[in-house]
């Protein structure tokens, strides 16, 4: 009489990559980490596909460290497609970003951040960097920047700076809340604690912007807070181009985007 074979159980879950220094304790936490990466509704299917792949690679970088860097390159594919269509050009991504800045589709600060991300892809293509070049934390900030830029470029009238007429109160508050939660999940760059650049102490700027953004989300800003936030935006504009560490530069470039969005509805609406 044959002995019945035992029913095989489910395959074991893969172990997290020990190099990944994950910011969440288990894989289920990755779902919340990428929740703010929302596919732009106006995007074409190829662009949505590239962005969705990028988001899933971030999610699975919990198990495979190198997926984080690959996620950045996929999001760059989406950006390149959107810029090529918007500018009706088949130029290089470097030139497309430059033209987008020159034509006011993105501001200079965002363009500089995009060029830093683009340079990473070029280093990978030349073999000057490996697919383990970016931590999952750094990749998340870069991919978030690319998602946000694609969304900006796909709006009917993309402009470099948001104004009070660009979005209603509910849309403004919803986008600000999403970016705020994403910023809260991003770890502060440890090697830059206590560091100041050109007299600007980075960790204090981070705390100051966070405090004002929370106040905006809790009910709104008075004139004093608005002026204070503009001063911090000026500090960020000064120091971000001087930061020579990729994750830190991306972190504070994202903080500047958050600060500008928080103050956007207090700008005067554009008039003819």
């Amino acid at each position: 009489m044959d002995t019945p074979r035992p029913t095989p159980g489910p395959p074991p879950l893969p172990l997290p990559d020990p190099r990944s220094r994950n910011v969440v304790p288990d894989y289920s936490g990755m779902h919340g980490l990428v929740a703010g990466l929302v596919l732009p509704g106006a995007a074409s299917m190829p662009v949505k596909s590239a962005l969705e792949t990028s988001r899933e690679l971030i999610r699975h970088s919990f198990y495979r460290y190198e997926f984080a860097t690959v996620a950045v390159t996929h999001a760059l594919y989406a950006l390149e497609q959107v810029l090529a269509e918007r500018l009706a050009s088949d130029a290089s991504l470097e030139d497309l970003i430059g033209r987008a800045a020159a034509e006011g589709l993105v501001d200079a600060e965002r363009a500089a951040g995009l060029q830093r991300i683009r340079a990473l892809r070029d280093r990978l293509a030349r073999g000057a960097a490996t697919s383990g070049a970016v931590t999952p934390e750094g990749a998340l900030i870069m991919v978030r920047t690319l998602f946000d830029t694609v969304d900006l470029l796909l709006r009917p009238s993309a402009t470099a700076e948001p104004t009070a007429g660009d979005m209603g109160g509910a849309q403004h508050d919803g986008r600000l809340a999403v970016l705020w939660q994403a910023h809260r999940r991003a770890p502060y760059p440890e090697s830059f604690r206590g560091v100041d650049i050109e007299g600007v102490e980075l960790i204090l700027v981070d705390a100051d912007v966070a405090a004002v953004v929370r106040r905006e989300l809790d009910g709104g800003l008075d004139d004093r807070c608005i002026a204070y936030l503009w001063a911090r935006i000026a500090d960020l504009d000064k120091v971000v181009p001087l930061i020579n560490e990729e994750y830190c530069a991306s972190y504070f470039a994202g903080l500047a985007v958050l600060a500008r969005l928080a103050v956007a509805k207090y700008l005067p609406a554009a008039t003819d």
Side-chain angles (χ1 to χ4, degrees), residues 213-235:
V213 169
R214 283 197 299 267
R215 180 168 293 192
E216 166 63 10
L217 289 170
D218 288 342
L221 305 179
D222 56 24
D223 290 344
R224 182 182 64 85
C225 286
I226 293 168
Y228 190 71
L229 189 53
W230 276 117
R232 287 294 173 256
I233 290 171
D235 286 336

Side-chain angles (χ1 to χ4, degrees), residues 4 28 36 47 61 68 78 84 91 109 116 129 152 178 227 230 237 268:
S28 63
V47 169
S61 69
E109 179 183 345
R116 283 194 296 271
L152 175 69
V178 168
W230 276 117
D237 287 347

Side-chain angles (χ1 to χ4, degrees), residues 31 36 40-41 60 120 132 152 161 174 227 260 264:
H31 306 321
H60 293 294
L120 168 66
L152 175 69
E161 295 290 346
R260 279 190 163 83

Side-chain angles (χ1 to χ4, degrees), residues 20-44:
S20 64
R21 297 188 288 113
N22 289 303
V23 294
V24 294
D26 52 47
Y27 176 71
S28 63
M30 298 297 291
H31 306 321
L33 205 62
V34 302
L37 299 176
V38 180
L39 300 179
S44 65

Side-chain angles (χ1 to χ4, degrees), residues 103-204:
E103 296 184 18
L105 298 179
V106 296
D107 61 34
E109 179 183 345
R110 184 183 293 271
L114 295 174
Q115 293 288 19
R116 283 194 296 271
I117 300 171
R118 186 269 314 159
L120 168 66
R121 187 179 75 173
D122 290 352
R123 293 199 303 274
L124 288 166
R126 295 193 305 267
T130 69
S131 56
V134 181
T135 65
E137 304 98 305
L140 180 61
I141 288 182
M142 294 181 198
V143 168
R144 187 181 302 127
T145 297
L146 293 166
F147 265 70
D148 190 54
T149 303
V150 168
D151 181 55
L152 175 69
L153 291 167
L154 289 172
R155 292 177 198 165
S157 56
T159 57
E161 295 290 346
T163 67
D166 288 334
M167 58 183 74
Q171 182 182 353
H172 166 274
D173 292 343
R175 185 163 175 243
L176 181 62
V178 168
L179 289 181
W180 168 239
Q181 290 303 321
H183 179 74
R184 288 184 62 194
R185 295 187 188 103
Y188 185 88
E190 287 294 332
S191 60
F192 283 80
R193 289 189 183 276
V195 172
D196 74 81
I197 298 176
E198 295 289 319
V200 177
E201 190 162 348
L202 296 181
I203 199 166
L204 292 182

